[in-house]
Amino acid sequence: MNFFRGVMGGQAPGPQPSGAETIQRLCDRVASSTLLDDRRDAVRALKSLSKKYRVEVGSQAMDHLINILQTDRSDSEILGYALDTLYNIICNDEEEEQDLVAPIPASGKHKNVSMADENAQKQADDLGAQFTDRFIQDPEHVTLLLALLEEFDFHVRWPGVKLLTALLKNQGVQVQGIILVSPMGVSRLMDLLADSREVIRNDGLLLLQQLTKSNAAIQKIVAFENAFERLLDIITEEGSSDGGIVVEDCLLLLLNLLKNNSSNQNFFKEGSYIQRMKPWFEVGDDNSGWSAQKVTNLHLMLQLVRVMVSPVNSPGATASCQKAMYQCGLLQQLCTILMATGVPADILTETINTVAEVIRGSQVNQDYFSSVNAPSNPPRPAIVVLLMSMVNERQPFVLRCAVLYCFQCFLYKNKKGQGEIVATLLPSTIDANSISAGQLLCGGLFSADSLSNWCAAVALAHALQDNLTQKEQLLRVQLATSLGKPPVSLLQQCTNILSQGDKIVRRGSNVQTRVGLLILLCTWTSNCPIAVTHFLHNQENVPFLTAQISENLGEDERLVQGLCALLLGICIYYNDNSLENYTKEKLKQLIEKRIGKENFVEKLGFITKHELYSRAAQKPQPIFPSPEQMLFDHEFTKLVKELEGMITKAVHKSSEEEKKEEEVKKTLEQHDNIVTQYKELIREQDAQIQELKEQVSSASSQNEQMQVTITQQLSQIQQHKDQYNILKLKLGKENQSQGDGSQVNGLQTEELTQLRKEVEELRKEYTLLQTQLSGKDELINTLKAEGSVGGSDNTELLKELEALRSQVQSQIAEIDCMKTERQELLRRAEAGASNPVPDGDGWSDTAKIAELESRLAAQTTETERLKEEAKMSSESRVEMEQQHASATSTAAILQTENAKLQTDLQESKKEQDDLLMLLADQDHKILTLKKRLKDLGETVDDEDDLDARDQTDDDDEEEYYEDED
């Protein structure tokens, strides 16, 4: 106990041991003690010494501490001490390394203090990296640490989280690899976010931040472990943008998971998490007094939105995210912040950049942005308000860059927006009572501030990008330079300012102004022969360009020379030879005489060799450390890359080569026209085929419907037949029961109704017969009159007429009799219904009714039978036609096969004839050989002898088998 008393604070008599000796004794105690309490006390002592004697504890006690983690899993207290000790050894936090820094005298300079701090921190980082390498040398140690994180005890889990975070900070890649291959390694760490203790949850966020850095595989696993849902829930619980440092940690982790990870971005979008970002950007009317933490949180939230719609993402993924942001109202919320008052400048700048990327290349979002108005009186479009900030030199530089980027994104692949901007400059659309975007751009283009000149020139160039119509429209713009002087075109004014150069006093760099104007002119004249003609029409432009290119100027002017060479090359390449003095050939001769082709190409190459060119070519967003370095635009770098090789070839080509190229171009154009015609024809045919397919599909569907209808009708007919048969059977049974004497004259109400109907039908038949009879009487009278004139020749006809009359009279009598009987039956039936008395005549009435009904049924049956026979005959006719068609096709096939068989038969007959001839040949040869053998004295058996011998052998075999049986 004296030993521990000396370590823990008690003073033992005699000389005191050094720190290294004390640590060695404690390590021996940890390794050799059998009692858990002794080992626990020793580890507690090592923990207390680990910060002051970091090197000694790390080098001597690390193995013993790891062994404690492996063997003493049942005691959470000793595990906590061991984990804290390892954390103190490996961690490189500055606050915990203050004891390593030697005290500086009060008279020492601040420079010495900072150098001492830097050296101490560097030494601590190296030390932590060395101990981390030693710890992870065996991957099982990291696996052991992951297993300990499953312990719920606070004194084990919290130091375990801190230790693993320190390991990831020192050697992130190696530790990430071990965790990645460890079973359920990442899942165990994700459980930290669900811990109810905020300290562990918050440190778990820091751990996951280190774990997901630059490792796409781990990022995907974390995302699919429901990380997005948990993190967004934490952000909401902590108060969103008004939350504290925990919200910042969650946002940093979300940025790690989504940045440059297309899989996670798609998962985030498909999970409808973009919609949950909208409440983050709800700001009130009073935006004054934002805390620093809120500014940081909102800044990270805006960065998170930008990650989802970054131009470096795939176009399809970016477009779908932009669509989702518009549909859920996120873009509208960002525009609200954009137009709000009291928003901090850095948040406003980042919001402008975010809105820029949300609308970039999305026509729907660009149209919405063009409709946004600022809350002013009168209301002004948001684009105009932003451009006012861009050309205002008192605004911060980063804000002006953000506005330019937003304007560029608004015009990116937006021909409608380009037309609207150019239209504000045309004479017919200028409104003197309001400020337009075109007026602001012209004001910035000709102001005394070089940065405003550059920004306005580049913005106007984006209004012309890849839009030939607007390039031609902009040639119509006229500017009033001063009172009493005629207006000049915008193109002419730009070239005038360019030629004046250093004569105009400006705030900033004159080089920046000229570079901006040259960017505008190169964009304007590229792929626009009319603009080239307007530019060459001014006699001073070409001499100015050749003079600029041929001079030997300083480093700052080299870029201007390169851009002048590019502009002159564009005038050659896109020249339509409409001006006699400045045709392609004459301009090339001028370059060869005044500049030299090699010198021209060298000056042209200065553009791409400039250090700021490669920086601007990387990203669309203009990011520059200072205004003086703002010289290149991203879209312009792509134009230079496209034109440089083409201009170089055009300058070196001779007139003959150009003529050949023109001929080739014409031929290609003709081929293109032919191909276009064929394409249109193919499109028309495709459309016709599609229509026919639709018609066939419609007919097929209708046929299917008709088939279904026919099937249903057939089933209904069958049902009716079944019902009819059932009713017939029931009627037969009722008649039989009536015959047995169960009912004599008790007719029911339904039968009376049926009888009334039949009487009515008989009356109608009687009327019809009366009509027919009167017609026949008239016919007879006519015939009689004709007969009296005709004489004896009509005697036979009169006899036939009299016979017909007698038949008609008998039919009338029969009808009257039937009518009388029917009336009598009806009367009896009514009397029987009112007073049912048995009567002997009832049986005869019933018999007559039955006879009438049987006759009616027979006629109905005969009619149905005839209908069925007609239907069956039509169906059989159709079937016979089909069979005939099938038989015809079968006959054709059989005829073809018969012809083929006849051919095969002829060939086989021919082959048989050949074989017979060969056999006859062989027989002749055999007979000849036998004859020669006989002549030579050899014994030769004839075929008859051989056959007889074979027959004898067969008989002997049969006798042998019979004996055996």
Side-chain angles (χ1 to χ4, degrees):
M1 294 301 292
N2 290 335
F3 169 73
F4 285 111
R5 189 178 299 112
V7 173
M8 302 305 292
Q11 297 293 332
Q16 297 296 322
S18 63
E21 292 175 351
T22 303
I23 293 169
Q24 182 61 46
R25 292 179 184 178
L26 290 172
C27 291
D28 294 340
R29 175 70 66 179
V30 172
S32 60
S33 294
T34 57
L35 294 176
L36 179 61
D37 292 339
D38 291 346
R39 293 198 302 276
R40 187 189 301 119
D41 293 338
V43 174
R44 185 191 297 115
L46 286 172
K47 175 190 172 184
S48 64
L49 297 172
S50 58
K51 292 184 179 180
K52 186 174 182 179
Y53 299 100
R54 181 181 178 187
V55 178
E56 291 80 0
V57 174
S59 58
Q60 296 182 39
M62 180 174 285
D63 295 335
H64 300 295
L65 294 171
I66 294 172
N67 188 49
I68 289 292
L69 298 179
Q70 293 172 340
T71 56
D72 292 330
R73 294 284 297 273
S74 60
D75 187 73
S76 60
E77 190 175 358
I78 193 172
L79 290 177
Y81 292 148
L83 291 170
D84 282 332
T85 307
L86 289 171
Y87 173 73
N88 292 337
I89 296 168
I90 292 172
C91 182
N92 291 325
D93 289 345
E94 294 183 11
E95 295 179 359
E96 300 185 6
E97 299 296 336
Q98 294 297 328
D99 294 336
L100 294 176
V101 182
I104 304 298
S107 59
K109 296 182 179 179
H110 179 71
K111 182 178 179 181
N112 295 333
V113 174
S114 61
M115 289 180 62
D117 291 341
E118 291 177 2
N119 292 333
Q121 184 61 34
K122 184 178 180 180
Q123 181 183 359
D125 292 342
D126 294 340
L127 197 59
Q130 292 173 10
F131 286 137
T132 301
D133 288 336
R134 183 177 172 186
F135 183 86
I136 66 175
Q137 191 171 4
D138 185 359
E140 291 298 325
H141 296 163
V142 180
T143 306
L144 173 65
L145 186 56
L146 291 172
L148 290 173
L149 290 179
E150 292 184 344
E151 296 288 338
F152 188 74
D153 191 286
F154 180 81
H155 297 92
V156 177
R157 202 171 201 184
W158 186 41
V161 171
K162 293 195 297 181
L163 175 58
L164 188 56
T165 306
L167 292 173
L168 285 165
K169 284 181 179 179
N170 294 336
Q171 295 293 344
V173 178
Q174 292 86 338
V175 179
Q176 283 174 342
I178 297 170
I179 294 175
L180 190 59
V181 299
S182 176
M184 299 295 292
V186 179
S187 299
R188 291 172 180 173
L189 299 180
M190 286 298 299
D191 292 339
L192 298 173
L193 297 181
D195 200 304
S196 59
R197 295 159 294 192
E198 290 190 2
V199 176
I200 295 178
R201 184 199 67 183
N202 298 344
D203 283 348
L205 289 171
L206 300 177
L207 170 60
L208 290 171
Q209 284 181 26
Q210 298 297 326
L211 179 66
T212 55
K213 278 185 178 179
S214 305
N215 193 310
I218 293 179
Q219 290 169 1
K220 292 178 183 178
I221 296 172
V222 171
F224 282 96
E225 288 286 343
N226 205 24
F228 294 140
E229 185 75 28
R230 297 183 185 182
L231 292 173
L232 293 175
D233 288 342
I234 294 173
I235 292 173
T236 305
E237 292 170 2
E238 295 291 329
S240 298
S241 60
D242 294 323
I245 190 70
V246 177
V247 174
E248 179 182 349
D249 292 336
C250 291
L251 293 170
L252 289 172
L253 179 53
L254 285 171
L255 285 172
N256 280 356
L257 295 174
L258 293 173
K259 196 170 186 179
N260 299 324
N261 193 318
S262 57
S263 175
N264 283 1
Q265 290 173 5
N266 185 60
F267 182 65
F268 191 85
K269 177 182 71 68
E270 294 296 334
S272 300
Y273 296 118
I274 291 178
Q275 288 79 347
R276 296 186 60 178
M277 297 167 66
K278 180 190 173 185
W280 296 352
F281 304 102
E282 293 177 354
V283 296
D285 297 332
D286 185 13
N287 296 311
S288 60
W290 284 19
S291 65
Q293 187 61 56
K294 181 174 181 178
V295 172
T296 302
N297 292 344
L298 202 55
H299 196 273
L300 291 172
M301 291 171 178
L302 292 169
Q303 286 185 0
L304 195 61
V305 176
R306 293 185 64 185
V307 164
M308 298 299 296
V309 292
S310 174
V312 300
N313 297 342
S314 64
T318 301
S320 60
C321 290
Q322 289 172 335
K323 181 179 179 182
M325 290 178 183
Y326 173 75
Q327 291 177 344
C328 74
L330 180 58
L331 174 59
Q332 293 85 329
Q333 204 66 46
L334 292 173
C335 292
T336 302
I337 298 177
L338 200 65
M339 296 292 105
T341 56
V343 178
D346 51 350
I347 294 298
L348 181 60
T349 302
E350 190 65 20
T351 304
I352 294 172
N353 288 326
T354 306
V355 170
E357 294 183 352
V358 172
I359 67 174
R360 187 176 189 268
S362 174
Q363 188 65 52
V364 176
N365 294 5
Q366 290 166 342
D367 291 342
Y368 170 76
F369 182 70
S370 65
S371 66
V372 175
N373 290 322
S376 60
N377 192 14
R380 289 177 178 172
I383 297 173
V384 172
V385 176
L386 292 175
L387 289 177
M388 291 173 69
S389 301
M390 186 186 74
V391 298
N392 187 354
E393 57 185 299
R394 289 176 292 181
Q395 294 292 339
F397 172 63
V398 290
L399 179 63
R400 298 174 74 181
C401 291
V403 173
L404 176 61
Y405 182 47
C406 186
F407 190 72
Q408 292 173 352
C409 292
F410 168 69
L411 297 177
Y412 181 72
K413 294 183 178 179
N414 184 9
K415 294 188 180 298
K416 178 183 177 184
Q418 290 174 328
E420 291 174 353
I421 297 299
V422 174
T424 59
L425 288 166
L426 298 178
S428 58
T429 58
I430 292 177
D431 185 5
N433 298 324
S434 62
I435 300 175
S436 65
Q439 293 173 357
L440 290 171
L441 291 176
C442 284
L445 192 63
F446 307 128
S447 71
D449 178 35
S450 61
L451 182 59
S452 297
N453 300 154
W454 190 91
C455 291
V458 170
L460 198 55
H462 276 264
L464 307 176
Q465 195 78 36
D466 299 327
N467 196 327
L468 181 60
T469 303
Q470 302 310 323
K471 290 178 182 180
E472 295 174 356
Q473 287 292 323
L474 200 63
L475 295 171
R476 298 170 49 203
V477 176
Q478 300 289 322
L479 301 175
T481 54
S482 60
L483 293 175
K485 291 185 178 182
V488 297
S489 66
L490 177 61
L491 182 66
Q492 182 62 43
Q493 185 66 14
C494 291
T495 55
N496 291 340
I497 296 174
L498 185 64
S499 61
Q500 290 175 3
D502 297 334
K503 296 178 182 179
I504 300 176
V505 179
R506 300 181 184 279
R507 291 181 294 275
S509 172
N510 282 321
V511 173
Q512 190 176 40
T513 299
R514 286 188 286 169
V515 167
L517 290 171
L518 286 168
I519 289 174
L520 174 59
L521 291 173
C522 290
T523 306
W524 195 346
T525 54
S526 66
N527 199 23
C528 185
I530 298 176
V532 171
T533 303
H534 277 71
F535 180 79
L536 295 176
H537 194 270
N538 188 347
Q539 302 294 328
E540 299 176 356
N541 289 340
V542 174
F544 168 74
L545 292 178
T546 54
Q548 287 287 318
I549 299 169
S550 59
E551 288 182 4
N552 292 321
L553 303 174
E555 291 291 332
D556 296 338
E557 298 291 336
R558 280 192 170 187
L559 178 58
V560 176
Q561 287 184 315
L563 292 172
C564 289
L566 178 66
L567 181 56
L568 186 57
I570 291 172
C571 292
I572 294 173
Y573 189 80
Y574 293 105
N575 195 335
D576 58 0
N577 296 325
S578 59
L579 294 177
E580 185 178 355
N581 294 332
Y582 293 110
T583 61
K584 288 184 179 181
E585 190 61 31
K586 289 185 178 180
L587 286 175
K588 286 194 287 186
Q589 292 175 1
L590 184 64
I591 289 174
E592 191 171 359
K593 291 179 182 179
R594 300 279 182 89
I595 304 170
K597 291 183 178 179
E598 300 300 328
N599 189 25
F600 178 84
V601 173
E602 182 183 358
K603 296 293 178 67
L604 183 62
F606 286 164
I607 302 174
T608 55
K609 293 177 182 177
H610 200 280
E611 59 179 353
L612 296 177
Y613 175 88
S614 57
R615 182 184 298 177
Q618 292 174 0
K619 291 182 179 180
Q621 183 181 0
I623 301 176
F624 301 97
S626 63
E628 292 77 15
Q629 295 184 2
M630 200 168 182
L631 295 176
F632 282 103
D633 171 60
H634 177 75
E635 292 297 326
F636 181 70
T637 58
K638 294 196 291 187
L639 180 65
V640 171
K641 187 177 180 180
E642 177 186 352
L643 293 177
E644 185 179 6
M646 296 162 53
I647 291 172
T648 303
K649 290 180 182 178
V651 170
H652 285 290
K653 284 177 185 174
S654 62
S655 58
E656 296 179 356
E657 292 177 348
E658 287 186 354
K659 289 180 181 178
K660 290 180 180 179
E661 282 193 356
E662 289 179 358
E663 292 177 357
V664 171
K665 284 182 179 179
K666 289 180 180 178
T667 306
L668 290 175
E669 287 178 357
Q670 293 176 357
H671 286 298
D672 291 339
N673 292 332
I674 295 171
V675 171
T676 304
Q677 292 176 1
Y678 277 115
K679 284 181 178 179
E680 291 177 356
L681 179 61
I682 290 169
R683 287 194 191 97
E684 292 177 358
Q685 292 178 348
D686 286 340
Q688 293 176 359
I689 290 170
Q690 190 65 30
E691 290 179 0
L692 291 174
K693 285 182 178 179
E694 291 176 357
Q695 291 177 5
V696 169
S697 176
S698 176
S700 300
S701 62
Q702 290 178 1
N703 187 23
E704 291 176 357
Q705 291 177 359
M706 293 296 293
Q707 292 291 340
V708 172
T709 305
I710 290 170
T711 306
Q712 291 176 355
Q713 290 178 353
L714 289 174
S715 62
Q716 289 176 1
I717 290 169
Q718 187 63 37
Q719 289 176 3
H720 290 320
K721 286 182 179 180
D722 295 340
Q723 291 176 2
Y724 174 74
N725 292 329
I726 292 169
L727 291 173
K728 190 174 181 181
L729 291 173
K730 287 182 178 179
L731 182 61
K733 290 180 180 180
E734 289 175 358
N735 291 335
Q736 185 177 2
S737 63
Q738 288 177 2
D740 292 338
S742 59
Q743 182 178 357
V744 178
N745 199 20
L747 296 177
Q748 301 298 322
T749 307
E750 294 179 357
E751 293 176 347
L752 290 173
T753 305
Q754 184 68 24
L755 289 173
R756 287 192 182 97
K757 289 182 180 178
E758 291 177 358
V759 169
E760 191 66 29
E761 289 177 359
L762 288 173
R763 285 177 181 172
K764 290 180 180 179
E765 290 179 359
Y766 174 74
T767 305
L768 180 63
L769 288 173
Q770 287 285 359
T771 305
Q772 293 177 355
L773 183 60
S774 61
K776 288 179 180 181
D777 287 335
E778 292 176 0
L779 179 63
I780 290 168
N781 294 326
T782 305
L783 290 173
K784 281 182 177 180
E786 292 176 357
S788 61
V789 177
S792 61
D793 293 334
N794 295 330
T795 304
E796 294 181 358
L797 182 60
L798 290 172
K799 290 180 180 180
E800 291 176 359
L801 288 172
E802 289 297 330
L804 182 61
R805 177 180 287 277
S806 63
Q807 289 178 4
V808 169
Q809 291 295 332
S810 63
Q811 286 179 359
I812 291 170
E814 185 179 357
I815 288 170
D816 292 332
C817 183
M818 290 177 65
K819 183 178 179 182
T820 305
E821 290 176 358
R822 196 69 171 173
Q823 291 175 354
E824 182 65 19
L825 287 172
L826 182 61
R827 184 181 58 76
R828 290 180 181 179
E830 290 175 353
S834 59
N835 187 15
V837 178
D839 191 359
D841 295 336
W843 295 105
S844 60
D845 296 341
T846 303
K848 288 180 181 180
I849 291 170
E851 182 182 356
L852 291 172
E853 289 179 351
S854 63
R855 287 169 60 188
L856 181 62
Q859 290 177 358
T860 305
T861 304
E862 184 66 18
T863 305
E864 291 295 329
R865 184 180 64 78
L866 291 173
K867 288 182 180 179
E868 289 293 330
E869 287 180 357
K871 184 177 180 182
M872 289 174 63
S873 64
S874 63
E875 290 179 353
S876 62
R877 183 176 61 80
V878 173
E879 185 177 359
M880 289 295 291
E881 288 177 356
Q882 292 178 351
Q883 290 178 358
H884 180 265
S886 176
T888 304
S889 60
T890 306
I893 294 169
L894 290 174
Q895 287 177 0
T896 306
E897 291 180 353
N898 186 21
K900 186 176 180 184
L901 289 173
Q902 291 290 340
T903 306
D904 293 341
L905 180 61
Q906 294 295 332
E907 290 179 355
S908 62
K909 283 183 178 181
K910 187 177 180 182
E911 289 176 357
Q912 287 177 1
D913 292 339
D914 293 340
L915 288 173
L916 288 173
M917 291 179 68
L918 287 173
L919 288 172
D921 237 2
Q922 291 293 330
D923 289 340
H924 180 68
K925 289 181 181 178
I926 291 169
L927 291 173
T928 306
L929 291 173
K930 283 182 179 180
K931 187 175 181 182
R932 290 179 64 184
L933 287 172
K934 286 180 180 180
D935 293 339
L936 292 172
E938 295 290 334
T939 304
V940 179
D941 295 332
D942 291 335
E943 290 182 0
D944 296 336
D945 297 336
L946 291 172
D947 293 340
R949 191 180 301 165
D950 292 339
Q951 183 64 33
T952 306
D953 291 339
D954 292 339
D955 294 340
D956 293 340
E957 288 178 2
E958 290 177 0
E959 291 176 0
Y960 171 77
Y961 286 121
E962 288 175 358
D963 294 338
E964 288 291 331
D965 294 337

